[in-house]
Amino acid sequence: MNIARYHLPGLFEFYDLYKKFLPLYRTHREYFYEWCSIESIYGAPGDCIWGGGRVGFGDADPVEVISLLKEYDISPRLTFSNSLLIEENLQDKKCNHICSLFSACRKLRTGIIIHSDLLLNYLRKRFPDFYYISSTTKVLTDFHQFHEELKRDEFEYVVPDFRLNKDFADLEKLSREEKNKVEFLCNECCFVGCTERKACYENVSRKSLGQICPDHVCRSPGADRGYVFSKAMKNPSFIGIEEIQKLYLQAGFTNFKIEGRSLGSAIVLEFLLYYLTKPEYQLNVREAIYLDSSLDLF
């Protein structure tokens, strides 16, 4: 039986949450579904110019992050998906230092989520032990383009645009090796008809580089509400746990990415409850993480 391998958000952003959650996941495995596992946790320090997913989130100490993931044998992934890098950016001291720290830990298998081929070529030469994930920030909405990306030997995984999630007619034609490389973004809240996704990612890349520019204002329906999980679950591209078990795993797809780096830890915990935790034990997890008899909401 295939196992769903989850790739979770917040390597640097939600260190405190995972510091509580991972011991619970290990010692009370009966709380969690048997058909899934935590494969990796991804993220980046908030001030890394190579970052391109979210700006300003992630202040955990890299040494503590490495220690935590080494203890639980979970792959760290550095989100270095800036799409606008130039040659001089490759020498950034902080980003190179972060890579050196993770590369020095031989017990960890570190991945890099990447957009720029310039950065990809640089890192492959300097840090040959890393593996690479083609970022969803490339917005590969055309299946032919996505298929060509799957053929690239540099990438161990490729994250398609969420709008390809239900393209079963084409997905089922992929070879076993290609299916093993596909990593679906499960819980995207963005409007499926959005035409500004690439512009939004480029705006974040500029901000990561320290460029002064206005925020990107999304004009898609409902964008003013921000991320709402109940809304995401109604998105035609949403991949729920029943679909994972009955459709994707049965078809040979095993990798599933959960977004959420820029959200609050409370909603990320809800993702962990929904995707990993059996319903009858969700209260136990909440009680272990934060819920006690003295907690006031207002």
Side-chain angles (χ1 to χ4, degrees):
M1 176 182 175
N2 286 329
I3 296 295
R5 295 172 172 83
Y6 285 127
H7 306 275
L8 303 178
L11 181 62
F12 294 86
E13 298 85 347
F14 302 118
Y15 168 81
D16 290 334
L17 172 60
Y18 289 118
K19 192 174 180 181
K20 285 190 172 183
F21 181 80
L22 292 178
L24 190 67
Y25 182 77
R26 171 181 284 176
T27 58
H28 289 281
R29 197 63 182 89
E30 73 276 10
Y31 290 179
F32 305 97
Y33 295 121
E34 297 83 2
W35 50 264
C36 63
S37 66
I38 300 174
E39 184 76 8
S40 75
I41 303 176
Y42 67 91
D47 55 352
C48 274
I49 68 169
W50 293 353
R54 296 292 180 263
V55 179
F57 298 91
D59 57 2
D61 184 335
V63 174
E64 293 181 352
V65 168
I66 289 171
S67 177
L68 181 66
L69 268 64
K70 184 169 65 173
E71 180 178 355
Y72 292 95
D73 193 26
I74 295 173
S75 172
R77 289 182 171 186
L78 300 172
T79 306
F80 288 159
S81 55
N82 195 307
S83 62
L84 302 177
L85 299 175
I86 59 177
E87 191 77 34
E88 65 185 55
N89 300 140
L90 302 181
Q91 305 308 316
D92 181 78
K93 290 183 179 180
K94 173 153 192 173
C95 294
N96 277 281
H97 177 63
I98 293 291
C99 287
S100 296
L101 288 175
F102 279 85
S103 179
C105 184
R106 300 301 181 185
K107 291 186 177 180
L108 281 179
R109 188 166 179 267
T110 297
I112 307 292
I113 302 173
I114 201 161
H115 184 126
S116 166
D117 281 347
L118 180 69
L119 181 60
L120 173 66
N121 295 331
Y122 172 78
L123 291 176
R124 290 184 73 198
K125 292 177 182 177
R126 182 159 186 189
F127 302 100
D129 293 331
F130 291 162
Y131 70 94
Y132 296 91
I133 305 95
S134 178
S135 174
T136 192
T137 61
K138 294 180 181 181
V139 192
L140 300 176
T141 57
D142 178 82
F143 195 89
H144 175 72
Q145 290 180 324
F146 166 61
H147 195 196
E148 290 301 307
E149 195 80 355
L150 283 174
K151 295 177 182 178
R152 294 182 61 178
D153 293 335
E154 305 99 309
F155 298 122
E156 189 159 324
Y157 301 95
V158 177
V159 184
D161 187 85
F162 70 102
R163 284 161 287 201
L164 294 181
N165 284 358
K166 303 298 178 69
D167 191 353
F168 293 115
D170 289 316
L171 289 167
E172 289 178 353
K173 296 176 184 177
L174 297 176
S175 68
R176 179 179 298 181
E177 292 75 16
E178 289 169 337
K179 288 181 178 181
N180 288 337
K181 294 180 69 171
V182 180
E183 184 178 313
F184 293 103
L185 183 59
C186 294
N187 60 328
E188 178 56 60
C189 191
C190 186
F191 174 56
V192 292
C194 178
T195 60
E196 303 176 22
R197 196 164 175 83
K198 183 167 285 191
C200 179
Y201 283 131
E202 288 181 355
N203 180 266
V204 175
S205 291
R206 292 188 183 94
K207 289 182 177 295
S208 292
L209 291 168
Q211 297 178 14
I212 305 300
C213 58
D215 292 337
H216 175 79
V217 179
C218 182
R219 295 185 292 271
S220 295
D224 57 323
R225 293 185 64 194
Y227 189 96
V228 180
F229 193 23
S230 59
K231 175 187 170 186
M233 296 176 82
K234 297 176 183 177
N235 193 311
S237 69
F238 180 77
I239 301 178
I241 57 173
E242 289 190 8
E243 290 176 304
I244 290 174
Q245 295 175 84
K246 297 178 180 179
L247 293 177
Y248 291 88
L249 292 180
Q250 295 296 323
F253 297 100
T254 58
N255 289 284
F256 302 93
K257 180 176 183 176
I258 311 302
E259 79 163 18
R261 289 174 55 211
S262 63
L263 304 175
S265 59
I267 194 169
V268 172
L269 176 58
E270 290 302 312
F271 298 155
L272 300 178
L273 292 170
Y274 174 77
Y275 281 104
L276 288 160
T277 313
K278 297 174 183 177
E280 62 267 30
Y281 291 113
Q282 290 182 2
L283 180 58
N284 298 74
V285 174
R286 286 191 180 95
E287 288 173 338
I289 299 296
Y290 74 92
L291 190 61
D292 60 46
S293 60
S294 64
L295 178 66
D296 288 320
L297 291 179
F298 303 100

